[in-house]
Amino acid sequence: MQIEIINSSGSNTVCTIDITPSSTINDVKSCIHKKRGKLYPDRQALRLEAKSKNLKDEETLQSLGLKNGSRLYLKDLGPQIGWSTVFLAEYAGPLVIYLYVYQRPWIFYGNLGSGAEVSITAHIAAACWTFHYAKRLMETIFVHRFSHSTMPLFNLFKNCSYYWIFTAYVAYHVNHPLYTSPNTLQVYGGLIGFLLSEVGNLSIHVALRNLRPPGTKKRSIPMPDGNPFTFLFDYVSCPNYTYEFMSWLSFTIMTQCLPAGLFALAGLYQMSVWALGKHRNYLKEFSSYPKGRKAIIPFIL
């Protein structure tokens, strides 16, 4: 049968393809790619109507009620880049930038940086920052399973700018020759909180990975497992974000550094937006989803 592919603006026909009723949306994307070379499958979003939701790759034309002469609307998502590539770039940058500023280069501190003693808090902060982003890089390579293989290329520049600029801002202040460390109890209390939160964050990422078999897009209700750090699933939909915020809150307490606090708050805002979206999707997708859960902050948000 023939399917007409219309630009999502409704202005013109992109192409017409010959395909069987049992074919999937992914098959349709492959046919479009053959006819319109630059529109590779990851760059395409297909819809039943110009303003309707995007169709899933695994849906068949028959199940969607499409017949000979039916139309599908195509939205060009623009140039794409792999999720893992974006993550590696946005996490490698903070690792390199922080460790560079940690050396107190002349370009940042002039002659001040060469003689002043580095506080134990600055050493601990550098170790924590390094541990966090090294962990994120390892998780990207060995733990995460992405439901989508790509994201818009623009996200590479947006995400990297956020992480890299904030890193330079925080590192400049924590490693400044005039930086004053808080008391020992506060430093080591913040350190313990940071390490526990990092273990919790990793535990959630592993639990989420185990929900999705390799090579699939299967989605299940996340629940606590034998790992005690996963207990937060009883209270929030996205405990990985909860632990992430707790890490940077603990880092802020440990360093008593205002830029670190701003980084923690900016992260909380963005992660709250993501968590609320995921929470709504869970409620829509699973009728048995626990109604008492919040999105990111237990009992509050």
Side-chain angles (χ1 to χ4, degrees):
M1 67 180 189
Q2 285 193 334
I3 298 293
E4 187 178 10
I5 308 300
I6 307 294
N7 189 292
S8 61
S9 65
S11 57
N12 62 287
T13 299
V14 177
C15 63
T16 301
I17 62 173
D18 292 299
I19 201 162
T20 64
S22 60
S23 299
T24 64
I25 291 299
N26 192 54
D27 295 329
V28 174
K29 290 180 178 180
S30 296
C31 291
I32 296 171
H33 181 215
K34 289 177 182 177
K35 292 203 169 190
R36 302 293 297 270
K38 76 169 187 176
L39 292 172
Y40 47 88
D42 285 329
R43 186 167 174 162
Q44 302 173 37
L46 291 172
R47 303 166 177 172
L48 290 175
E49 301 292 340
K51 300 299 182 181
S52 61
K53 67 178 182 179
N54 296 341
L55 297 172
K56 297 178 181 178
D57 284 350
E58 62 272 17
E59 293 181 287
T60 65
L61 302 185
Q62 196 169 33
S63 69
L64 293 168
L66 296 173
K67 302 176 181 178
N68 185 49
S70 292
R71 291 181 168 186
L72 283 174
Y73 291 83
L74 169 70
K75 179 176 177 60
D76 182 0
L77 300 175
Q80 301 288 298
I81 188 171
W83 274 85
S84 57
T85 302
V86 174
F87 277 17
L88 291 172
E90 67 185 39
Y91 298 150
L95 194 58
V96 173
I97 292 169
Y98 196 100
L99 290 178
Y100 174 67
V101 179
Y102 172 59
Q103 300 175 65
R104 290 183 174 172
W106 181 88
I107 193 171
F108 278 92
Y109 303 113
N111 296 327
L112 272 176
S114 58
E117 182 181 355
V118 180
S119 69
I120 186 64
T121 305
H123 289 308
I124 293 173
C128 288
W129 196 278
T130 301
F131 175 78
H132 175 83
Y133 283 102
K135 178 181 78 71
R136 295 293 286 268
L137 289 169
M138 292 300 102
E139 287 173 341
T140 300
I141 298 170
F142 299 111
V143 177
H144 293 319
R145 288 178 180 153
F146 302 105
S147 56
H148 300 285
S149 57
T150 65
M151 66 168 72
L153 178 61
F154 175 72
N155 285 11
L156 174 66
F157 306 101
K158 180 180 68 174
N159 293 12
C160 287
S161 296
Y162 168 78
Y163 281 103
W164 295 13
I165 292 172
F166 251 124
T167 294
Y169 185 37
V170 174
Y172 174 81
H173 286 273
V174 175
N175 295 291
H176 198 285
L178 300 180
Y179 167 74
T180 302
S181 174
N183 65 71
T184 301
L185 180 62
Q186 183 174 329
V187 171
Y188 286 99
L191 174 61
I192 292 170
F194 178 87
L195 294 176
L196 290 175
S197 300
E198 290 291 295
V199 174
N201 181 261
L202 173 61
S203 299
I204 299 301
H205 286 159
V206 172
L208 292 173
R209 176 186 184 274
N210 292 339
L211 285 177
R212 178 172 292 153
T216 73
K217 295 183 180 180
K218 179 182 177 182
R219 288 170 58 82
S220 304
I221 298 176
M223 301 295 288
D225 56 27
N227 185 331
F229 284 96
T230 63
F231 81 98
L232 268 182
F233 274 125
D234 285 332
Y235 302 97
V236 295
S237 294
C238 301
N240 50 321
Y241 295 152
T242 311
Y243 280 122
E244 178 85 4
F245 171 65
M246 289 168 62
S247 287
W248 294 119
L249 177 62
S250 298
F251 186 91
T252 301
I253 292 170
M254 179 181 69
T255 58
Q256 199 167 293
C257 176
L258 177 60
L262 295 176
F263 180 53
L265 290 175
L268 176 62
Y269 170 78
Q270 182 59 71
M271 289 186 291
S272 295
V273 172
W274 292 335
L276 287 167
K278 292 183 178 183
H279 183 68
R280 286 191 295 267
N281 289 339
Y282 279 136
L283 290 172
K284 289 179 183 177
E285 187 172 357
F286 302 108
S287 58
S288 60
Y289 194 76
K291 298 298 188 290
R293 287 186 187 178
K294 294 296 185 180
I296 183 171
I297 302 176
F299 312 112
I300 299 175
L301 181 65

